[in-house]
C-alpha cells in the first residue's frame, strides 16, 4: 500500500488506514511530500522484533538496515530518495521503506508512529541515523544552517523518541544515536555541525536516564567508516597516517556494533562508543 500527498491540504488516505497527520495551513504552504509504503505480512510472527532506522537508504544507514534484517528484525527505515531503495532479494524478514522527511515536525513523528503501529504493532529498536554534514566556518555560519542542523540532530531524536517511548518501554527496547568521533576535537570548518552533534551526545545521556530502567540508550561515534564523496586522496592518506589502525573502517563496523547493543548489550546504557580506528587516543 502506498500513500503519497503532494498537496497535504487536499490529501486523502485509503479507507481503513488511520490518518498519520493532520494537514494544517503551514504544511499546505510548504508543499512537502509525504508517502508511506506498507509491506505488512499477515503471517508475520507476533514475537518478531521490529526496528526503525532513520536515514536508512544509503551508506551506514543502509548497512544497519541490512544487518538488523539479517539478524531477524523486521525493519522500517525512512528515506527522502525512494529511487535508491533497492534491497537484496535474500532477506527473510519484512523491510519497509518510508518516504518521509523526518525534519517535517511534528507531522513526521506522528506519521512514523502511525505507520509502525499499523505495520508491526510494536517497536524494539530505534536508530537515529539521519544526519546532515555541512561545512561552514564562523564567518559563513548562518542562522538557517544552525537551525537546520539542530533540527535533524537534536529536535528529531527528541520528538521521535518521545513518540515511540511507550512502544519501546513495552518491549524493553533500545535506542541508538549516531554521533561523530570528531566532536571532541571539532574542526572550525564544521562549527555548527559539530556543535549540533555535541548536543546529540549530551542528549544520549539524558535519554538514557529518562527511559531507564525499561529502555537502553547508547551512542555510537564513528570515525571514517565510509569516505565522503569527493574527499581528496591526499587528505585521505593524511588522515589515515594519524590512526593507530592506519586504515579506514567500513559501514559494517558500525552496523555490527548496533546489532550487538540491541541483542546482547542489555546491561549497557548511557554509553558513547567510538568506532574510529583509535583516533580518539592519539
Amino acid at each position: 500500500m502506498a500513500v503519497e500527498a503532494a498537496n497535504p491540504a487536499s490529501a486523502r488516505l485509503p479507507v481503513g488506514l488511520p490518518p498519520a497527520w493532520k494537514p494544517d495551513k503551514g504544511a499546505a504552504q510548504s508543499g512537502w511530500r509525504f508517502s508511506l509504503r506498507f509491506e505488512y505480512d499477515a503471517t508475520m510472527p507476533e514475537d518478531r522484533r521490529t526496528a526503525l532506522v532513520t536515514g536508512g537508504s544509503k551508506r551506514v544507514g543502509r548497512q544497519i538496515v541490512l544487518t538488523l534484517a539479517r539478524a531477524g528484525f523486521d525493519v522500517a527505515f525512512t528515506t527522502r530518495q525512494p529511487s535508491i531503495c533497492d534491497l537484496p532479494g535474500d532477506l527473510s524478514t519484512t523491510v519497509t521503506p518510508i518516504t518521509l522527511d523526518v525534519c517535517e515536525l511534528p507531522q513526521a513523528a506522528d506519521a512514523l508512529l502511525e505507520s509502525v503501529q499499523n505495520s508491526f504493532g510494536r517497536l524494539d529498536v530505534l536508530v537515529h541515523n539521519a544526519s546532515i554534514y555541512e561545512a561552514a566556518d564562523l564567518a559563513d555560519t548562518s542562522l538557517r544552517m544552525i537551525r537546520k542542523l539542530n533540527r535533524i540532530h537534536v529536535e528529531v531524536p527528541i520528538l521521535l523518541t518521545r513518540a515511540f517511548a511507550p512502544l519501546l518501554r513495552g518491549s524493553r527496547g533500545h535506542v541508538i544515536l549516531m554521533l561523530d568521533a570528531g566532536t571532541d576535537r571539532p574542526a572550525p570548518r564544521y562549527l555548527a555541525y559539530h556543535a549540533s552533534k555535541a548536543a546529540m551526545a549530551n542528549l544520549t545521556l539524558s535519554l538514557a536516564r529518562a527511559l531507564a530502567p525499561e529502555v537502553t540508550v547508547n551512542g555510537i561515534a564513528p570515525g571514517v567508516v565510509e569516505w565522503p564523496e569527493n574527499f581528496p586522496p591526499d587528505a585521505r592518506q593524511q588522515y589515515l597516517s594519524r590512526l593507530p589502525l592506519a586504515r579506514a573502517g567500513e559501514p559494517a563496523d558500525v552496523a555490527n556494533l548496533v546489532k550487538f547493543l540491541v541483542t546482547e548489550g542489555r546491561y549497557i546504557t548511557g554509553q558513547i562508543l567510538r568506532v574510529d580506528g583509535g583516533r580518539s587516543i592519539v
Side-chain angles (χ1 to χ4, degrees):
M1 178 186 296
V3 181
E4 181 166 337
N7 183 353
S10 61
R12 298 181 61 186
L13 300 178
V15 175
L17 179 62
W21 46 268
K22 294 180 176 61
D24 56 28
K25 181 178 180 181
Q29 290 177 343
S30 69
W32 51 271
R33 297 183 63 85
F34 168 97
S35 70
L36 299 178
R37 175 184 169 190
F38 296 99
E39 297 179 1
Y40 180 73
D41 182 353
T43 65
M44 184 172 59
E46 293 183 0
D47 61 348
R48 197 152 75 192
R49 292 170 297 176
T50 299
L52 171 62
V53 181
T54 63
S57 63
K58 58 184 179 179
R59 298 172 64 84
V60 173
R62 175 182 171 84
Q63 188 62 52
I64 294 171
V65 168
L66 297 179
T67 298
L68 292 179
R70 288 173 175 144
F73 286 84
D74 292 314
V75 184
F77 67 92
T78 68
T79 177
R80 293 188 299 171
Q81 298 174 290
S83 61
I84 62 174
C85 288
D86 292 338
L87 296 167
D90 62 344
L91 300 178
S92 60
T93 58
T94 300
V95 177
T96 304
I98 300 174
T99 306
L100 178 71
D101 184 353
V102 293
C103 288
E104 293 288 353
L105 298 171
Q107 293 92 342
D110 296 338
L112 284 175
L113 180 60
E114 290 283 357
S115 64
V116 169
Q117 287 179 322
N118 289 326
S119 296
F120 305 104
R122 63 181 293 168
L123 187 69
D124 302 82
V125 175
L126 174 58
V127 181
H128 294 292
N129 177 72
S131 183
I132 299 172
Y133 189 66
E134 290 191 0
D137 59 18
L138 179 60
D140 295 328
T141 298
S142 65
L143 180 60
R144 179 180 177 276
M145 173 182 286
I146 295 170
R147 289 176 172 171
K148 179 180 178 182
L149 291 166
N150 283 336
R151 193 167 186 82
I152 187 69
H153 297 147
V154 181
E155 294 178 18
V156 168
I158 290 175
L159 294 183
L160 289 191
T161 303
R162 184 182 70 181
F164 283 102
L167 290 180
L168 291 164
R169 284 194 168 104
S171 66
R172 300 193 71 85
H174 311 273
V175 177
I176 305 292
L177 294 93
M178 300 305 300
L179 309 174
D180 191 307
T183 300
D184 290 344
R185 288 179 287 178
R189 186 165 176 261
Y190 293 90
L191 187 148
Y193 166 80
H194 282 299
S196 66
K197 282 291 186 175
M200 195 177 187
N202 183 271
L203 177 61
T204 302
L205 309 183
S206 297
L207 289 176
R209 298 187 66 181
L211 295 176
E214 298 91 351
V215 180
T216 71
V217 181
N218 292 289
I220 297 177
V224 173
V225 293
E226 189 166 8
W227 294 105
E229 295 179 6
N230 303 319
F231 202 80
D234 56 340
R236 296 187 185 193
Q237 290 304 314
Q238 182 180 9
Y239 178 88
L240 295 179
S241 68
R242 300 195 299 267
L243 296 185
L245 294 187
R247 61 178 176 82
E250 299 176 351
D253 295 320
V254 174
N256 288 334
L257 180 54
V258 171
K259 182 179 74 170
F260 170 78
L261 289 171
V262 304
T263 56
E264 303 296 331
R266 298 181 184 89
Y267 199 58
I268 303 172
T269 195
Q271 303 303 305
I272 295 175
L273 306 172
R274 293 177 175 83
V275 185
D276 64 356
R279 179 184 183 277
S280 58
I281 63 174
V282 177

